[in-house]
Amino acid sequence: MDRTLTASELIRRPTHPIYRRLGDRVFQVVVVTLGLSIIALALLLAEVLLVEGWEPLRRFGFFGFLTGTTWDPVRGVFGTWPFIVGTLITAVASLALSFLPAIGVAIFSAEYAPRWLASIIDTIVDLLAAVPSVVVGIWGIFVLVPLMQNHVYLPVYYWAFENAPGLLPVLGPPAGYNLVTATIVLALMIVPYTTALARDAIRLVPRSQREAARALGATRWEVMRMAVLPYARGAIVAGAILSFGRAIGETMAVAMLIGNSNTLPFTFFGPAATMPSVIVNEFREAVEDLHLASLMTVGFYLFLISLTVNLIAAWLQRKLAVGGRAL
Amino acid sequence: MAVTAPAAPGTLGRLATVTPENLRRRYRRDRLMIGLLVVATTVVLVPLLIIVWYVVSNGISAVLTADFYTQDLGSPARALQGRPTGLGHTILGTMVVDGLALLIAVPIGVGAGIMLSEYPDHPLNPVLRILNDTLNGMPAILKGLLAFSLIVKPMGTFSGFSGAVALAFVMLPILARATEGVLRIIPWSIREAGLALGLPRWRVVLNTVLPAARVGVVTGILIAFARAAGEAAPLLFTSFGNNFFSSTPLRYLMGPVDTLPARLYSLAISPYKEWHAMGWGAGVILLVLVIVTFVGTRIVTRARHTTDL
């Protein structure tokens, strides 16, 4: 608006009823329309993915497409199961890998570190959460992949070749772009996210909880374990699930590092694919209608999985929060 | 002899039993945990800082040349023959797409935030809140698919405009959430003061609530911008990419246009060494963009703490 009016100006100003009634009405209509557009957008997202991906669903069936293990654009047979497997494996493994370290950083910064150090750690964590996916991806391609290839994948593969041939089918051919690389990078990418959510949850625990435990003679760690962590438990777990949701939807870094293979079974050192990675890698090259529609259908299933994960996180936040405290 | 309290259930019972060995063990565990926490912090922060360091050290040489900002990319042959090449068109395209995305997203996002905070009784608010959070949790690539179906398909061409819409989809839920959050902490007494002076409700919102929450709204905009500016996935099938400066300004909106994240992706997976160097350079620019935005939020937030409180 133009400028802030002083109180006396406002009082002297004769106001026209139209200015009041109509202004309020118009403002409310505008604001509600803007709000409605977000509602419409969310519904539209589901609707568009479903409509655009309708043809594969009709042809293969909801469960047929879900559990179909063949993804063959040449023959025109599509099933999303390999990508669901790839998505879940990378997301679960990266969360398992990053959860404890992330909680460790959160506890250290919220409880142990002196103020100056905590503020440095917090700044770094927040900043790292904002590092774009593609930037992590290019680092993965040119630094992590050669490093892992020379110092982990090849040595382990040679070792297994001579000592434990039974492991070879599980390990797979040592391509640098594989499930393990993608998982490590995913873990690095969700760590700041999990950390930030856990840290905020721990900071919200009332002082009195800590003081009570201290008064009972608890050591610093016992205060954490008995008073702080149980109190913050709900928010921490919900935060971890939100990070899991992030890992599921994480696209670029994974697409650049996972190697892209459409066929099960995936092996540790062999290429694989996730739902977002297959969309990114094939969408621009998809010439046939059914192929394009199938990628939309994969998007629809990705939508359903993300929706489920987010709803579970929201439900846990409410359910496990102590004293109805919503984060 | 040990001082023992009546057996208490659970972990608290152990506190009550104080014997010298017990105490020593507990203190040892306490020190062990501090050690583990320090190790965890190092293990997490060091690799992430290494990533930043690698990007900067590999990309700095590309970024420090003038060609990087003034030339367009052209065909791979140009880089291989050592002719001047750069990402000028990419930087320009990024500014157009990100700027337009902000123009689209800020009014809608802030408006939805106002609806959530200023009309708390509106029957649609619970639905809006749930769907907004849902939208926020959706992978950005799905928003790209949505923009593709809504705009690219009817228009029949990839365009900067569709890219901006896709990025706006990414920004919207963040903006609505952030705006609601900051408007909520403005005390109701301020609104009541405005109403008591005879101000209609819309003047109260626009002239007292929003100015009071100005800093928070700006912070929300910056966060949404930082989040969207790094997204490549939704842009790959909306703004697509382009190796050259567009011939007319209108082409930046209506034709395929290059953006930094999408270009970084295609440079990184290209087979040319010269392009890899430029990819690192694009990474540096993206990092700088994110860091500057981030520092910006810190500065505005700090300014609030020193003046308003």
Side-chain angles (χ1 to χ4, degrees):
Chain A
M1 295 314 292
D2 40 1
R3 70 200 171 93
T4 316
L5 303 163
T6 63
S8 53
E9 271 179 296
L10 286 170
I11 291 171
R12 262 185 243 122
R13 203 175 151 113
T15 56
H16 199 273
I18 287 179
Y19 163 83
R20 306 174 54 81
R21 295 251 179 75
L22 196 69
D24 266 354
R25 184 52 56 83
V26 169
F27 185 71
Q28 185 172 2
V29 166
V30 168
V31 163
V32 170
T33 311
L34 295 175
L36 279 177
S37 68
I38 288 191
I39 295 181
L41 190 62
L43 299 177
L44 206 61
L45 180 60
E47 197 254 358
V48 162
L49 289 174
L50 185 61
V51 169
E52 298 277 331
W54 186 250
E55 179 57 26
L57 280 180
R58 196 185 60 79
R59 195 172 295 193
F60 305 109
F62 183 86
F63 289 103
F65 191 82
L66 179 74
T67 56
T69 53
T70 316
W71 179 274
D72 190 347
V74 182
R75 282 194 297 135
V77 180
F78 297 97
T80 188
W81 191 244
F83 312 119
I84 291 188
V85 170
T87 304
L88 291 182
I89 290 178
T90 49
V92 169
S94 61
L95 184 64
L97 206 61
S98 64
F99 183 68
L100 284 181
I103 303 298
V105 180
I107 294 175
F108 185 71
S109 133
E111 297 285 320
Y112 285 84
R115 200 164 228 200
W116 60 271
L117 184 59
S119 81
I120 291 177
I121 294 177
D122 292 357
T123 310
I124 295 178
V125 167
D126 292 349
L127 194 55
L128 292 173
V131 171
S133 183
V134 271
V135 173
V136 180
I138 193 174
W139 174 81
I141 288 183
F142 294 114
V143 182
L144 185 66
V145 166
L147 188 86
M148 294 294 285
Q149 176 87 318
N150 293 330
H151 297 284
V152 181
Y153 303 147
L154 285 175
V156 169
Y157 189 76
Y158 290 145
W159 175 86
F161 194 76
E162 302 201 337
N163 300 309
L167 277 179
L168 288 181
V170 186
L171 290 179
Y177 299 91
N178 60 32
L179 267 186
V180 178
T181 315
T183 304
I184 292 173
V185 163
L186 257 188
L188 280 175
M189 297 190 66
I190 61 172
V191 144
Y193 204 60
T194 323
T195 303
L197 290 168
R199 181 189 69 206
D200 295 346
I202 291 172
R203 293 241 164 93
L204 277 177
V205 174
R207 226 190 146 78
S208 55
Q209 292 281 324
R210 300 185 174 89
E211 283 165 357
R214 279 239 127 162
L216 287 172
T219 63
R220 221 167 169 184
W221 171 245
E222 285 163 350
V223 171
M224 274 313 296
R225 249 219 26 226
M226 295 171 192
V228 177
L229 287 183
Y231 197 98
R233 185 186 54 205
I236 290 177
V237 173
I241 293 180
L242 285 176
S243 307
F244 180 74
R246 264 284 170 91
I248 285 176
E250 186 48 61
T251 309
M252 296 314 294
V254 175
M256 289 158 93
L257 295 170
I258 202 165
N260 311 311
S261 155
N262 298 341
T263 34
L264 285 170
F266 297 143
T267 52
F268 281 94
F269 295 168
T274 65
M275 302 168 88
S277 84
V278 73
I279 300 178
V280 160
N281 282 314
E282 297 193 1
F283 198 84
R284 300 213 280 188
E285 276 94 53
V287 276
E288 279 173 54
D289 285 347
L290 187 64
H291 191 188
L292 204 66
S294 295
L295 290 169
M296 286 286 188
T297 320
V298 172
F300 180 66
Y301 284 92
L302 181 60
F303 175 90
L304 291 183
I305 294 179
S306 296
L307 184 67
T308 317
V309 170
N310 279 298
L311 290 182
I312 290 176
W315 176 76
L316 268 181
Q317 247 165 359
R318 241 173 304 128
K319 174 105 181 166
L320 292 181
V322 176
R325 185 181 50 95
L327 190 74
Chain B
M1 217 13 237
V3 187
T4 44
T11 40
L12 281 175
R14 266 190 288 130
L15 288 182
T17 322
V18 181
T19 61
E21 314 88 76
N22 183 331
L23 248 191
R24 225 170 305 155
R25 209 182 55 230
R26 286 170 48 205
Y27 277 125
R28 223 180 300 131
R29 172 172 296 175
D30 192 44
R31 277 195 299 271
L32 177 75
M33 286 320 294
I34 295 185
L36 283 181
L37 292 176
V38 172
V39 170
T41 310
T42 324
V43 164
V44 166
L45 294 189
V46 167
L48 289 167
L49 289 175
I50 286 178
I51 296 180
V52 173
W53 183 80
Y54 260 104
V55 173
V56 172
S57 65
N58 280 304
I60 197 79
S61 57
V63 174
L64 289 181
T65 59
D67 283 347
F68 190 82
Y69 305 96
T70 54
Q71 302 289 326
D72 52 10
L73 186 66
S75 66
R78 206 148 112 187
L80 294 176
Q81 294 163 359
R83 275 184 288 150
T85 164
L87 295 180
H89 67 300
T90 315
I91 294 170
L92 200 59
T94 309
M95 288 196 280
V96 171
V97 171
D98 288 7
L100 186 60
L102 274 178
L103 281 183
I104 300 170
V106 167
I108 302 180
V110 171
I114 292 177
M115 170 172 169
L116 285 172
S117 133
E118 303 304 310
Y119 296 93
D121 310 327
H122 199 282
L124 280 174
N125 271 354
V127 183
L128 174 55
R129 204 166 282 126
I130 290 172
L131 289 181
N132 191 59
D133 286 357
T134 309
L135 206 56
N136 198 12
M138 282 301 144
I141 187 171
L142 297 183
K143 295 164 190 169
L145 291 181
L146 179 61
F148 174 85
S149 307
L150 291 184
I151 297 171
V152 176
K153 266 175 101 176
M155 268 177 74
T157 169
F158 296 106
S159 63
F161 174 66
S162 62
V165 170
L167 286 191
F169 290 165
V170 175
M171 295 174 173
L172 270 175
I174 309 175
L175 279 169
R177 239 314 135 86
T179 307
E180 187 205 355
V182 293
L183 295 190
R184 278 261 167 122
I185 54 174
I186 303 298
W188 276 101
S189 55
I190 288 192
R191 299 180 178 86
E192 283 158 7
L195 293 172
L197 286 172
L199 278 178
R201 211 158 158 184
W202 63 283
R203 295 291 284 189
V204 170
V205 173
L206 290 179
N207 285 51
T208 61
V209 180
L210 272 185
R214 191 180 58 235
V215 170
V217 174
V218 171
T219 310
I221 293 174
L222 288 176
I223 289 173
F225 175 76
R227 211 17 215 289
E231 289 289 357
L235 294 175
L236 288 175
F237 18 89
T238 48
S239 65
F240 199 73
N242 189 347
N243 284 13
F244 302 95
F245 283 113
S246 301
S247 49
T248 60
L250 191 67
R251 283 278 180 86
Y252 281 99
L253 290 182
M254 293 309 165
V257 76
D258 228 19
T259 51
L260 276 167
R263 176 51 62 189
L264 170 47
Y265 170 67
S266 55
L267 290 175
I269 61 171
S270 76
Y272 315 109
K273 229 182 172 154
E274 289 76 7
W275 277 17
H276 296 163
M278 291 215 285
W280 287 107
V284 173
I285 305 275
L286 268 185
L287 271 185
V288 168
L289 196 67
V290 168
I291 290 173
V292 165
T293 314
F294 187 77
V295 171
T297 62
R298 289 272 150 148
I299 289 173
V300 276
T301 342
R302 194 153 306 154
R304 173 177 61 176
H305 285 309
T306 47
T307 53
D308 286 14
L309 295 180

